[in-house]
């Protein structure tokens, strides 16, 4: 029987939550006890500061607990309007960060409780806008991660994140359903892929199902070029770090391009809002590094332009050796003094030197013994395999300027988060960023990495105190 | 059952006229009504006469899905046992009158033609505590309850035909039978004379007692409605398409009503 009583004086005894679930996130209604001793499972909080729900007897509550349908708190907690239980299960890949955000935003009524299957049971005040904002944010993060994994054809990871997004979403989202359906299909679960669309139709009608279907088709088209990509654990690590750090999100404007001699590519997009990386579909860098390219780079350098290109393979070095153009060699020799770069990074980021160690020890140090070109251009070229490569111009300057510019842009992109995010996430982001640099520069001997900067980039906004 | 209902109408001509007006709508409605089973809720109203009969643990959703069926279990009350019901899965015809539980299984009414079943124009369990005769002078001892149940227990295969007449006889607008809130009354007082002092609709909603297991497949199920998105992830692939999450979260009753209304409209 439904009953209601005042919130004032009521206590939270526990919550109705399944003991286990495939979902990484569950939201559960609370079980509360009023001053009169009445126990009920909360269905709604009324505007008269009362709580309403299905009442049951104490022995029924005990039965609920005994049968594992509900959980009891170690001790009762005072009820506030809007309180609910959020269960962060171990399959939620970023639950530590999520918990920190709940804590930092003071959305928790008390610290989390360890539940079944190592779940974290969080009493959350949904009456505050912050809790719902967080849930939205987690949803968008999961969506972003799912898309990023899709770009590297990691379908099981795509599915995991799409399911997280679906579970967290407070309402059905057409794009999330489209991605979920797509992921099921790629994971060989065609029945559920179709079921997802059918479910959308059942929930919201034909128009909504059509929207989901169209979005799924868009996703398929967008990702069609990576269907047969091999699984590269290094690329996977980098991608994961990038997206977990929140630095990358899929888009259409820019991409960071990894390519290796055995002919596969990974496309990432939008390293930071103001740094654009160009899509390139070169299947083999050796196709790109040829006499024509040497002429091209020489011309660029002669005009004071810059191009970023990193080669690591012995074959590439041999290729360079065949280049007799002294201009290029001299450019390589005057490549940035390491210490100077490091100082610039520290000045820009105000991070300790330890944060730069990846770049120092694994990145630039190694790089110094390799070939590194700085030049500039903006053009498109046709590869031997018929694909198109875009190369964009960067502003004139030497190597220091380019790397400083990259870092400045990254810092600039991160500054709002640094100012607003009270958690340690920003430190993680920064660390992930340096790790990214390290990974970029520490590819296997087979790998070649090319970084192209955008055309006419804006001046980095570096505040005075950062200088 | 149907005869008694018709006799009651004959004694109330204005009501008979109203029923005649509603009949077409009631037929359209009931022919589209699934059988609604709410779960997962671990306890059910205990029968004080025989509490040991009901000390059981209802299965969790995962356990139900793992078994692939809604398993008929011992009935809630001895009265039902005395009426020959030894195993049962409870449903309401066309409404979620049982208000609790995070999942609703909506079975095809056609199962009433293929499986052993019975029905009552009220919640059998409510006779214990929550419902009583409208006439305050009427005796309502256990023996009265047992007789009342026996008098109003119909055979499952007749449930649809009966329900058309029942809804027509109680509602000016038949869809109200589906959509009335938990605490509400029909437009006309129940012909069987039962009422709920708290106004709970279980005093007049049609309960179906399926006396066999119900297989969880699309042959037997029209739809499963889950209270929240996360529960959908637990649903097996072959049932995922017929399992929309309730929107907004938790509003299963609304989702049931919307579905039946939509189905009737379609």
């Amino acid at each position: 029987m439904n009953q209601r009583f005042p919130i004032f004086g009521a206590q939270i005894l526990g919550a109705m939550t399944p003991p286990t679930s495939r979902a990484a996130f569950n939201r559960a209604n609370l079980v509360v006890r009023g001053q009169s001793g009445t126990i009920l499972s909360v269905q709604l909080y009324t505007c008269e500061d009362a709580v309403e729900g299905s009442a049951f007897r104490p022995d029924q509550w005990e039965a609920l607990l005994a049968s594992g349908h509900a959980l009891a708190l170690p001790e009762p907690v005072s009820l506030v309007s809007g309180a609910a239980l959020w269960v962060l299960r171990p399959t939620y890949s970023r639950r530590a960060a999520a918990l920190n955000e709940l804590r930092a935003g003071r959305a928790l009524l008390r610290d989390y409780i360890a539940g079944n299957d190592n779940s974290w049971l969080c009493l959350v005040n949904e009456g505050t806008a912050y809790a719902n904002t967080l849930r939205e944010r987690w949803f968008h993060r999961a969506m972003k991660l799912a898309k990023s994994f899709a770009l590297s054809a990691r379908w099981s990871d795509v599915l995991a994140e799409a399911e997280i997004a679906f579970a967290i979403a407070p309402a059905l989202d057409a794009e999330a359903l489209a991605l979920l359906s797509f992921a099921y299909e790629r994971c060989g679960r065609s029945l559920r892929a179709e079921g997802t669309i059918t479910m959308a139709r059942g929930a919201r009608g034909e128009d909504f199902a059509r929207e989901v279907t169209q979005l799924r088709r868009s996703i398929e088209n967008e990702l069609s070029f990576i269907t047969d990509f091999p699984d590269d654990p290094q690329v996977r690590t980098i991608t994961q770090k990038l997206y977990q750090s929140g630095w990358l999100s899929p888009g259409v404007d820019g991409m960071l391009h990894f390519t290796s001699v055995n002919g596969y590519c990974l496309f990432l997009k939008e390293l930071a809002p103001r740094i654009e990386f160009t899509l390139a579909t070169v299947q083999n860098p050796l196709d790109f590094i040829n006499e024509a390219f040497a002429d091209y780079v020489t011309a660029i350098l002669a005009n004071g332009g810059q191009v970023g290109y990193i080669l690591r393979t012995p074959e590439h070095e041999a290729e360079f050796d065949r280049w007799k153009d002294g201009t290029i060699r001299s450019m390589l020799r005057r490549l940035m003094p390491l210490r100077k770069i490091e100082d610039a990074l520290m000045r820009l980021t105000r991070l300790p030197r330890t944060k730069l160690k990846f770049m120092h020890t694994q990145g630039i140090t190694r790089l110094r013994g390799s070939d590194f070109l700085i030049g500039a251009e903006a053009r498109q070229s046709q590869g031997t395999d018929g694909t198109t490569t875009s190369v964009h111009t960067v502003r004139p300057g030497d190597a220091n300027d380019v790397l400083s510019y990259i870092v400045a842009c990254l810092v600039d992109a991160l500054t709002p988060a640094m100012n607003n995010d009270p958690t340690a996430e920003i430190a993680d982001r920064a660390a992930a960023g340096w790790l990214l640099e390290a990974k970029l520069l520490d590819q296997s001997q087979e790998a070649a990495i090319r970084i192209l900067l955008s055309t006419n980039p804006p001046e980095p906004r570096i505040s005075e105190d950062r200088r | 059952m149907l005869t008694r209902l018709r006799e009651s109408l004959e004694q109330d001509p204005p009501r008979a006229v109203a029923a005649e007006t509603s009949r077409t709508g009631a037929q359209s409605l009931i022919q589209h009504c699934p059988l609604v089973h709410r779960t997962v809720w671990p306890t059910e109203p205990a029968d004080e006469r025989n509490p040991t009969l009901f000390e059981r643990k209802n299965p969790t959703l995962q356990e139900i899905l793992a078994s692939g069926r809604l398993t008929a279990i011992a009935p809630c009350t001895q009265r039902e046992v005395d009426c020959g019901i030894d195993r049962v899965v409870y449903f309401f015809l066309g409404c979620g009158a049982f208000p609790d539980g995070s999942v609703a299984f909506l079975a095809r009414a056609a199962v009433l033609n293929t499986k052993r079943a019975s029905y009552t124009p009220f919640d059998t369990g409510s006779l214990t505590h929550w419902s009583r005769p409208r006439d305050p002078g009427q005796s309502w001892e256990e023996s009265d309850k047992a007789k009342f149940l026996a008098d109003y227990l119909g055979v499952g295969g007749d449930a649809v035909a009966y329900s058309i007449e029942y809804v027509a006889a109680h509602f000016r607008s038949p869809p109200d039978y589906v959509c009335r809130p938990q605490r509400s009354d029909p437009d006309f007082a129940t012909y069987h004379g039962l009422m709920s002092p708290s106004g709970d609709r279980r005093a007049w909603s049609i309960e179906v007692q399926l006396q066999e297991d119900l297989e969880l497949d699309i042959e037997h199920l029209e739809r499963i409605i889950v209270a929240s998105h996360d529960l959908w992830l637990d649903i097996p692939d072959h049932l995922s398409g017929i399992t929309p999450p309730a929107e907004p979260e938790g509003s299963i009753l609304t989702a049931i009503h919307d579905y039946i209304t939509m189905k009737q409209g379609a």
Side-chain angles (χ1 to χ4, degrees), chain B residues 199-211:
Chain B
D200 194 295
R201 66 171 291 162
R202 281 173 282 192
W204 51 264
S205 296
I206 300 165
E207 182 186 274
V208 169
Q209 303 91 30
L210 192 67
Q211 297 171 34

Side-chain angles (χ1 to χ4, degrees), chain B residues 3 11 56 72 78 108 125 145 157 191 230 259:
Chain B
T3 304
Q11 293 166 13
R56 61 188 180 210
Q78 185 61 42
R108 298 184 189 281
K145 295 174 183 177
Y191 85 100
D230 47 291
Y259 170 67

Side-chain angles (χ1 to χ4, degrees), chain B residues 17-18 24 47 55 115 119 148 167 172 186 214 226:
Chain B
V17 171
T24 305
D47 187 322
E55 287 176 0
K115 290 180 181 284
Y119 69 94
F148 188 88
V167 169
R172 290 193 169 88
L214 183 81
V226 289

Side-chain angles (χ1 to χ4, degrees), chain A residues 1-2 20-23 25-27 54 63-64 67 69 135 166 169 171-172 189 192 195 198-199 202 204, chain B residues 40-43 57-58 62 100 183 198 200 223 229-230 232-238 240-241 243 245 247 249:
Chain A
M1 282 304 197
N2 265 26
T20 59
S21 172
R22 284 204 66 247
F25 174 92
N26 295 102
R27 180 197 173 280
S54 300
L64 284 165
S67 58
H69 285 77
R135 197 167 161 186
F166 176 77
L172 289 179
R189 294 168 69 181
R192 199 173 187 93
T198 311
M199 176 267 278
R204 293 247 189 111
Chain B
V40 175
W41 186 257
T43 57
K57 171 189 176 300
N58 277 4
Q62 287 83 1
D100 298 313
R183 293 190 187 199
S198 65
D200 194 295
R223 184 163 284 214
H229 297 179
D230 47 291
W232 182 80
L233 296 173
D234 289 313
I235 300 295
D237 290 2
H238 71 284
S240 60
T243 309
E247 288 194 299
E249 279 179 324

